[in-house]
Amino acid sequence: MTTNKQSTWDTMTLEQRVRAVNIDIMNHMDFSTLSGLVTMGNINIVDGMPTAGTNGVDVFYGTEFLAAQNRKQVRFVQCHEALHKGLRHCSDYKDIVKKYPQLSNIAMDYVVNALIEQTDPDHKFIEHTTYPKPLLDPKYYNRSFVDVLQDLLKNAKEVEVYKVGEGDNAGGDPLDEHFPMPDDIDGKEIDKQIEDALNHGDMVQKRLQAGQGSKNNPLNGLGVKRDTDWRNALREFIEQVVTGDEYSRYNPPSRRFFAHDILMPTHFDVAMGELVIACDTSGSMGPIYPVVFGEIANICKQANPDKVRIVWWDTEVCDEQVFNRGDFDNIASLLKPAGGGGTSPQCVANYMVKHDYKPTAVIWLTDGYLDACPTAVCGNELWGVVNNDHFQPAHGKTLRIHN
Amino acid sequence: MNTSDFLSHKQVADLIKAVGAKRTVLIMGENGVGKTAIHHTVSQDPKFDDHIKIKPIDSTQLSDGALFMPDLDRERGVSTELPNERLGVSKTNRKGVDGSRPVLGMFDEIAKVPQFVKNMLAPILYERRVGNYIMPEGSVWFAATNLSNEGLGDLLQAHLRNRLVVVKMRKPSLDEWLNDFAMPRQLNPVLLACVQEYPMVFDSFLDYEKGGKYEGKSLDKDNPHIFNPKAVQDAYASPRSLHAASDILDVMGEIDAETLRKALDGAVGKAFASVLDSFIRFGQQLPPINTILSAPTTAPIPSNKIAQQVQVFQFITRAEDRDQAQAFTQYVMRLQPEMQSLFCRRVGESQRVGLFTTVMEFGRMLADNKIYYKV
């Protein structure tokens, strides 16, 4: 006698399966960050659609595709679609997507899949879809969509692009379709809903963790807008650490008026020293330097440090430029970047020790893709990290610069 | 860093009340935790009713002339020092003069001042003396500054610290802040509701350092709401800035939504302002609790599904008796399965589970949703 015992999953309707997966996600220690996003919008099950897709609000599933996935695979797809919503892939990059439709889709998938993979590397909760196989490359972990797209554009010839649901690409295929958000949807309203969903998800996830755990959840901070005004922050840092100050005191009093029975204070200055700016010469940094140094020149004219020393480095210190008081106007125009490629900032720390430089402050300008963080070179270090929200230096303050 | 060697606001205040007349207590604590507010707490104690209470002095604005001025007595061939009026000591109010009243004062941000000002403050802190003027018996002076690892330039040499009683003060917990500060001052209810859902604003950057409860986690990503000494932040949530946010929320009817958001950004930082903004929106979308309790089967349901989830969380904490539990359950039965499952699960985890398990509809909802839990 044979029994055909059906699992609960098999007895559910397709819509119930998606709802069941939403509930799984809402109860998961880490993926619950997506609680708000998975319930946002509507679930649409569409005949004839090859895989799945989202317009940034609603999610669409092909009937056959959804029916073929097991519970862990649907979790993967739901998380994937929720992350497209949370990262505003369908609304914030319409112009880029119009220009590079296929590569944009690929880049977005790399970003989203990397986040899921980092959250559940052992696949205890999710499972990759078998067809299409998701796009995944460790080199794109912790990278933004624009960053990945730029990299793909550089290597565009090497990237084989398939229509969704076709091909047998060993490196994976785009999982889904990213429809532009319809124009009749109020973008601002959706933006607020996404913000609410991310805030709520963050709260749910923190509750589930109950303040415990030492593991970083890669999904944390999805909604944080890192738009600190780097110009103001740079000015404040430089002024704070290298601007001299003037003081007056009555002990001792001014001798000039003392004989006339008039007590006046004496004045004294506290002069500050040298500012070192250590510049990473990776290719990605080139365009930012004129902008940042234009700003630094203006700040230095006012803060008037004794000296500004610019050190150019890659795997070794390639050159240095020194600007004294009175020369600060010319910093931006006289820049002579030297070196290129390679990212070993320890060479700067060694160089400063070797030459016995003792600056008041050091500003590192880098894209943050480094082999290792260098040893501390002075008590006041600011890391101007360009277009990278993930690099965190071991010491000093971090200033995120978005170009 | 292990924060177990930190004291609470109350403990620090009690210490100053007890020993402040004999020894100078230096409070070290991260910015915005309420160090300056200790002055207010101590001042309210009846023990100091007779004291001359001097408002906290921002030491960074001091020069020696702001403490005392030299005076020349050419007849006797000496110079003396005349104390500044703000220090509360004078010819008529000093030790040995009948009717003199002791002084209660605080030097804030003391470790940030130039060395020559620290030298000028030393006699006040160590001996309760300005020049030849000794303060009346019972005078209390204490000082406060930031933690050195906040990177705000707080430096105090070892020999100076050795003459003070140095204690570290921690951030208040959510309960301490609510009960000892926010409720008595009637801070804005939206803020109070929000911080109860977001207690992580009372975590400290120290929790993410070695030995801290979140050691190994990235503060930058895990809790962008609070002060991070390793990041450049425009603003962040601290007990002090939450108070500022409350003042802004109190007048939200007088300003437009954009002004409100920008003001909150400037007070508590963009990350927590965004959370507060969400709370305000949820508040506008959710029907009043009384409407739900009186008509759970017809009360309006918010179209925003995130607002529905917020509602579910609220129901569990708001249900006070079986009738209310039943009304909330009837209302939740009208929501989609995700919300029902969320409700069932959270009820199961809450201490109010007993209230709900006696409600027939809750049992039915559990049974209906069983399908979603079976793999």
Side-chain angles (χ1 to χ4, degrees):
Chain A
M1 196 174 83
T2 56
T3 53
N4 284 326
K5 194 182 173 192
Q6 281 189 307
S7 71
T8 313
W9 182 252
D10 295 328
T11 61
M12 281 193 225
T13 64
L14 293 182
E15 187 181 319
Q16 280 177 327
R17 290 183 189 187
V18 180
R19 293 201 184 282
V21 158
N22 282 349
I23 292 163
D24 293 346
I25 291 169
M26 290 159 84
N27 288 319
H28 188 269
M29 188 75 89
D30 292 324
F31 285 106
S32 52
T33 306
L34 307 177
S35 289
L37 291 170
V38 291
T39 52
M40 228 183 100
N42 297 315
I43 302 161
N44 301 285
I45 296 160
V46 187
D47 287 336
M49 189 170 180
T51 54
T54 179
N55 60 9
V57 186
D58 304 318
V59 175
F60 303 85
Y61 278 98
T63 312
E64 283 183 26
F65 172 77
L66 181 56
Q69 310 303 319
N70 65 33
R71 191 165 187 146
K72 285 171 84 177
Q73 287 172 323
V74 180
R75 286 176 189 160
F76 172 75
V77 183
Q78 263 302 81
C79 290
H80 181 102
E81 303 305 340
L83 281 165
H84 281 315
K85 294 189 220 172
L87 295 170
R88 298 171 169 90
H89 281 167
C90 299
S91 55
D92 280 8
Y93 306 101
K94 280 183 177 172
D95 292 341
I96 300 179
V97 172
K98 212 171 180 179
K99 196 168 177 185
Y100 309 108
Q102 287 183 314
L103 285 182
S104 294
N105 263 11
I106 292 172
M108 287 169 177
D109 269 21
Y110 270 125
V111 170
V112 159
N113 293 340
L115 280 166
I116 299 172
E117 192 67 11
Q118 286 176 284
T119 308
D120 184 23
D122 301 327
H123 291 194
K124 288 179 181 161
F125 183 73
I126 58 105
E127 185 180 316
H128 287 163
T129 50
T130 43
Y131 185 77
K133 189 177 161 191
L135 289 161
L136 200 62
D137 189 335
K139 81 171 174 178
Y140 294 133
Y141 286 12
N142 301 323
R143 306 275 288 261
S144 68
F145 156 65
V146 176
D147 204 16
V148 174
L149 179 64
Q150 280 175 344
D151 191 73
L152 291 174
L153 284 169
K154 263 193 267 171
N155 307 303
K157 283 179 188 167
E158 295 165 28
V159 179
E160 292 183 61
V161 180
Y162 292 83
K163 275 190 182 173
V164 173
E166 289 181 7
D168 186 20
N169 187 1
D173 286 327
L175 175 69
D176 58 350
E177 293 175 52
H178 313 150
F179 310 110
M181 192 176 282
D183 292 334
D184 60 337
I185 292 182
D186 181 349
K188 279 188 179 169
E189 181 52 37
I190 295 301
D191 206 45
K192 282 181 183 169
Q193 271 195 40
I194 292 171
E195 187 179 14
D196 291 346
L198 289 167
N199 285 332
H200 177 71
D202 194 34
M203 188 268 287
V204 173
Q205 194 261 334
K206 293 279 191 325
R207 275 188 179 213
L208 280 175
Q209 271 200 346
Q212 298 303 310
S214 60
K215 187 175 143 271
N216 276 317
N217 179 357
L219 301 176
N220 279 154
L222 278 180
V224 178
K225 291 184 178 171
R226 296 169 197 278
D227 51 356
T228 300
D229 183 345
W230 63 266
R231 289 175 174 82
N232 272 346
L234 192 64
R235 175 178 293 278
E236 274 175 25
F237 176 80
I238 295 177
E239 287 186 347
Q240 197 181 337
V241 295
V242 298
T243 307
D245 216 340
E246 292 179 354
Y247 296 102
S248 53
R249 58 184 173 189
Y250 285 92
N251 187 10
S254 167
R255 285 169 177 242
R256 189 179 296 174
F257 302 99
F258 199 62
H260 305 290
D261 249 6
I262 299 172
L263 277 169
M264 294 292 280
T266 46
H267 302 284
F268 65 102
D269 296 339
V270 177
M272 300 302 262
E274 172 178 330
L275 173 66
V276 167
I277 304 174
C279 303
D280 170 355
T281 49
S282 306
S284 62
M285 294 295 290
I288 192 82
Y289 282 135
V291 183
V292 174
F293 276 101
E295 209 60 37
I296 287 175
N298 279 333
I299 300 167
C300 286
K301 272 194 286 180
Q302 288 170 18
N304 218 14
D306 279 354
K307 195 182 284 182
V308 174
R309 187 186 303 274
I310 299 173
V311 178
W312 300 100
W313 56 275
D314 47 36
T315 53
E316 58 182 13
V317 172
C318 304
D319 198 5
E320 67 166 40
Q321 291 180 269
V322 178
F323 295 87
N324 292 305
R325 282 181 175 171
D327 299 336
F328 299 147
D329 261 340
N330 304 319
I331 289 182
S333 57
L334 293 180
L335 281 183
K336 287 182 189 160
T343 43
S344 304
Q346 185 59 40
C347 65
V348 180
N350 299 341
Y351 180 81
M352 288 174 61
V353 171
K354 184 180 165 193
H355 291 84
D356 200 24
Y357 292 159
K358 292 194 170 66
T360 306
V362 175
I363 297 175
W364 296 87
L365 292 174
T366 176
D367 59 11
Y369 298 107
L370 309 176
D371 58 0
C373 196
T375 48
V377 289
C378 85
N380 287 312
E381 291 186 50
L382 179 75
W383 288 79
V385 182
V386 178
N387 294 336
N388 181 347
D389 281 347
H390 302 285
F391 171 69
Q392 186 64 55
H395 45 77
K397 270 186 179 277
T398 311
L399 173 64
R400 311 261 174 217
I401 297 174
H402 290 276
N403 183 21
Chain B
M1 183 182 284
N2 189 339
T3 51
S4 61
D5 57 344
F6 282 53
L7 299 178
S8 69
H9 181 101
K10 182 180 181 304
Q11 287 170 316
V12 172
D14 287 347
L15 175 69
I16 292 167
K17 287 178 205 169
V19 79
K22 288 184 180 171
R23 292 282 162 187
T24 299
V25 174
L26 170 64
I27 313 160
M28 299 184 81
E30 71 181 91
N31 66 89
V33 295
K35 299 186 294 296
T36 314
I38 288 276
H39 182 276
H40 177 78
T41 308
V42 174
S43 300
Q44 301 298 307
D45 193 288
K47 187 176 177 182
F48 301 104
D49 279 351
D50 288 339
H51 280 58
I52 297 171
K53 288 155 192 162
I54 298 157
K55 286 188 175 170
I57 296 171
D58 181 351
S59 308
T60 58
Q61 294 178 13
L62 292 177
S63 181
D64 61 348
L67 294 169
F68 58 80
M69 290 285 282
D71 188 25
L72 301 178
D73 187 339
R74 291 185 182 274
E75 214 167 280
R76 289 173 57 219
V78 292
S79 68
T80 56
E81 286 144 346
L82 296 179
N84 190 295
E85 188 184 16
R86 80 163 89 174
L87 299 174
V89 65
S90 63
K91 267 185 184 172
T92 54
N93 195 69
R94 57 177 165 156
K95 188 177 180 183
V97 174
D98 282 350
S100 291
R101 292 167 61 201
V103 175
L104 170 65
M106 172 195 190
F107 287 110
D108 211 355
E109 311 286 5
I110 195 166
K112 287 193 183 73
V113 303
Q115 188 56 44
F116 81 97
V117 177
K118 284 178 192 155
N119 296 342
M120 298 297 128
L121 290 170
I124 303 174
L125 297 175
Y126 304 151
E127 303 165 31
R128 308 284 184 265
R129 177 177 64 80
V130 184
N132 285 333
Y133 292 74
I134 298 172
M135 295 185 179
E137 227 26 81
S139 290
V140 172
W141 282 92
F142 62 99
T145 197
N146 291 110
L147 298 167
S148 55
N149 53 353
E150 284 180 83
L152 299 174
D154 294 73
L155 298 166
L156 215 55
Q157 290 151 311
H159 70 280
L160 297 176
R161 292 164 61 105
N162 191 242
R163 301 171 94 178
L164 304 168
V165 177
V166 183
V167 291
K168 291 178 191 163
M169 183 173 137
R170 62 169 167 77
K171 268 177 115 165
S173 65
L174 170 64
D175 286 344
E176 286 169 346
W177 186 78
L178 283 174
N179 297 323
D180 303 338
F181 185 82
M183 306 273 215
R185 284 170 179 78
Q186 297 184 312
L187 297 200
N188 189 279
V190 173
L191 177 74
L192 301 193
C194 186
V195 295
Q196 287 180 76
E197 300 293 341
Y198 257 78
M200 65 280 267
V201 289
F202 293 96
D203 286 335
S204 160
F205 76 93
L206 297 165
D207 295 325
Y208 290 81
E209 299 200 340
K210 199 162 185 233
K213 61 182 173 181
Y214 303 132
E215 180 186 351
K217 280 190 168 188
S218 159
L219 169 60
D220 191 35
K221 288 196 162 186
D222 194 53
N223 196 343
H225 311 292
I226 60 173
F227 173 66
N228 179 352
K230 290 184 177 171
V232 175
Q233 294 167 292
D234 291 330
Y236 41 84
S238 68
R240 178 171 50 205
S241 62
L242 289 175
H243 192 179
S246 171
D247 291 342
I248 295 165
L249 290 168
D250 281 346
V251 297
M252 74 177 154
E254 299 167 34
I255 51 181
D256 63 37
E258 189 184 356
T259 309
L260 174 68
R261 179 59 185 266
K262 299 288 181 213
L264 291 173
D265 283 354
V268 291
K270 288 190 168 77
F272 194 61
S274 156
V275 173
L276 276 170
D277 211 16
S278 291
F279 256 76
I280 295 165
R281 281 197 289 274
F282 295 146
Q284 288 161 347
Q285 290 168 24
L286 301 178
I289 278 288
N290 286 340
T291 308
I292 295 168
L293 287 172
S294 58
T297 53
T298 52
I301 288 173
S303 59
N304 183 334
K305 287 163 192 159
I306 301 131
Q308 291 179 15
Q309 288 190 44
V310 172
Q311 217 172 18
V312 164
F313 278 98
Q314 287 180 352
F315 290 160
I316 298 161
T317 52
R318 296 287 287 271
E320 287 173 5
D321 54 38
R322 192 189 166 281
D323 287 347
Q324 291 192 350
Q326 184 179 29
F328 288 141
T329 307
Q330 286 173 341
Y331 183 85
V332 174
M333 286 182 86
R334 297 166 56 209
L335 306 179
Q336 64 188 48
E338 285 97 322
M339 306 311 161
Q340 294 184 26
S341 297
L342 186 70
F343 182 68
C344 292
R345 170 125 185 189
R346 297 291 171 261
V347 166
E349 290 168 356
S350 82
Q351 293 178 344
R352 299 178 186 222
V353 62
L355 270 185
F356 287 89
T357 46
T358 57
V359 174
M360 193 179 67
E361 287 89 342
F362 185 75
R364 200 187 314 150
M365 196 194 298
L366 266 179
D368 288 348
N369 282 283
K370 218 160 70 179
I371 184 174
Y372 294 110
Y373 294 121
K374 284 191 176 175
V375 180

